[in-house]
């Protein structure tokens, strides 16, 4: 399996950007004023805005978690590759050419 750290880094940054965009959207939704609606509709509009704000925040949290998971994954791959390289170097010291 091949993992390209730069590509994974790009993907994690894209998820971070998604998180920031969703947080900004949640803030804009929270700032929306339902007072322009009539009394009969205002309650439903307020509930709608509240639910959409929560949904945007939830999606933002998931985006941030995915970005963090990708960074952790690529770090684990790099650490594993470095450990394997060290093991091969140590193993090579025991190998001798036989003719």
């Amino acid at each position: 399996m091949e993992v390209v750290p730069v590509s994974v880094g790009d993907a994690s940054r894209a998820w971070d950007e998604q998180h920031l965009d969703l947080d900004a959207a949640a803030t804009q939704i929270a700032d929306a004023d339902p007072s322009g609606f009539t009394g009969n509709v205002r309650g439903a509009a307020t509930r709608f805005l509240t639910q959409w704000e929560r949904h945007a925040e939830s999606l933002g949290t998931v985006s941030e978690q995915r970005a963090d998971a990708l960074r952790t994954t690529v770090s684990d791959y790099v650490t594993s590759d470095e450990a394997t390289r060290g093991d091969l170097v140590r193993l090579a010291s025991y190998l001798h050419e036989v003719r």
Side-chain angles (χ1 to χ4, degrees):
M1 176 187 319
E2 181 180 359
V3 174
V4 181
V6 173
S7 297
V8 177
D10 290 344
S12 67
R13 279 187 294 282
W15 279 111
D16 277 331
E17 289 175 17
Q18 192 73 22
H19 164 239
L20 295 174
D21 290 345
L22 286 162
D23 273 359
T27 299
Q28 290 174 347
I29 294 167
D31 293 342
D33 185 12
S35 66
F37 292 100
T38 64
N40 294 338
V41 180
R42 192 172 302 125
T46 300
R47 287 188 299 277
F48 175 82
L49 290 171
T50 300
Q51 290 301 316
W52 269 107
E53 177 189 2
R54 288 180 185 157
H55 184 64
E57 286 174 348
S58 174
L59 291 174
T61 299
V62 169
S63 295
E64 184 177 30
Q65 290 168 344
R66 288 184 180 169
D68 292 343
L70 283 170
R71 280 189 286 276
T72 299
T73 298
V74 79
S75 175
D76 289 348
Y77 272 104
V78 169
T79 300
S80 175
D81 283 351
E82 288 173 355
T84 301
R85 187 187 69 73
D87 289 345
L88 288 173
V89 168
R90 283 188 293 282
L91 178 61
S93 69
Y94 292 104
L95 300 177
H96 303 284
E97 182 177 351
V98 175
R99 289 187 186 227

